[in-house]
Amino acid sequence: MHGLDPARRRVFFQATERDPRQRHVYSIGLDGRGLARLSREDGTHTALVAPGGGAYLGTFSSLDAPTSTALHASDGRLLKVLEDGAIPALQGRQRSPVELGSFTTPDGARLYTGLVKPPDFVPTRRYPALLYVYGGPHVQTVLDEWDGRRRLFFEHLAARGL
């Protein structure tokens, strides 16, 4: 739970309703009615709700967008961008695309993948592969969020064919 708007009798929370790789901010009435998704862009969102519940400080990032911070009204409307997340050192840099995917194991568990390709990827060419493994299907590490150092490290390896 991110917070409460006692006057409107609503609670704010984060959920993965549509895709477990994304996190969105929602609100719902204390009676369980009126579910509303407040965040819009695909990616990862969080909220720090003001004490009275009339506004929240939201963060957003995605695979291609570094973390930004903005002030939102309690209905999700953007009021003011406080930090746009721009990283000057990355401006004009050729980035490696990340291809999101998934597969289902024989026992029915869905596992999500993120494939970082070299920026000049040629489908007919062979490339070495690095497999980065996490601890299990209940620990989702493939996320649609900015993962600065790790992502940039993987891009560095991909760009050099390692």
Side-chain angles (χ1 to χ4, degrees), residues 91-133:
Q91 299 295 330
R93 181 176 182 268
Q94 187 177 15
R95 304 284 313 282
S96 297
V98 176
E99 186 177 299
L100 293 177
S102 67
F103 63 93
T104 304
T105 64
D107 65 349
R110 177 168 227 119
L111 301 178
Y112 294 91
T113 63
L115 177 62
V116 181
K117 297 178 179 179
D120 56 351
F121 180 75
V122 177
T124 57
R125 188 172 153 210
R126 293 180 65 140
Y127 294 89
L130 169 69
L131 183 62
Y132 177 78
V133 180

Side-chain angles (χ1 to χ4, degrees), residues 23-129:
R23 308 287 185 267
H24 287 279
V25 175
Y26 293 82
S27 73
I28 193 167
L30 293 176
D31 61 2
R33 292 189 224 154
L35 176 67
R37 179 175 153 184
L38 304 179
S39 51
R40 300 290 169 238
E41 305 91 348
D42 286 347
T44 297
H45 299 262
T46 65
L48 177 61
V49 180
Y56 67 89
L57 192 62
T59 64
F60 161 73
S61 75
S62 70
L63 283 169
D64 296 316
T67 305
S68 61
T69 306
L71 182 64
H72 297 266
S74 63
D75 63 2
R77 282 180 298 116
L78 176 66
L79 299 175
K80 182 173 179 68
V81 174
L82 303 173
E83 172 59 49
D84 67 6
I87 300 175
L90 296 179
Q91 299 295 330
R93 181 176 182 268
Q94 187 177 15
R95 304 284 313 282
S96 297
V98 176
E99 186 177 299
L100 293 177
S102 67
F103 63 93
T104 304
T105 64
D107 65 349
R110 177 168 227 119
L111 301 178
Y112 294 91
T113 63
L115 177 62
V116 181
K117 297 178 179 179
D120 56 351
F121 180 75
V122 177
T124 57
R125 188 172 153 210
R126 293 180 65 140
Y127 294 89

Side-chain angles (χ1 to χ4, degrees), residues 3-12 30 49-54:
L4 182 65
D5 181 344
R8 293 178 188 82
R9 299 187 46 78
R10 296 190 69 75
V11 65
F12 296 86
L30 293 176
V49 180

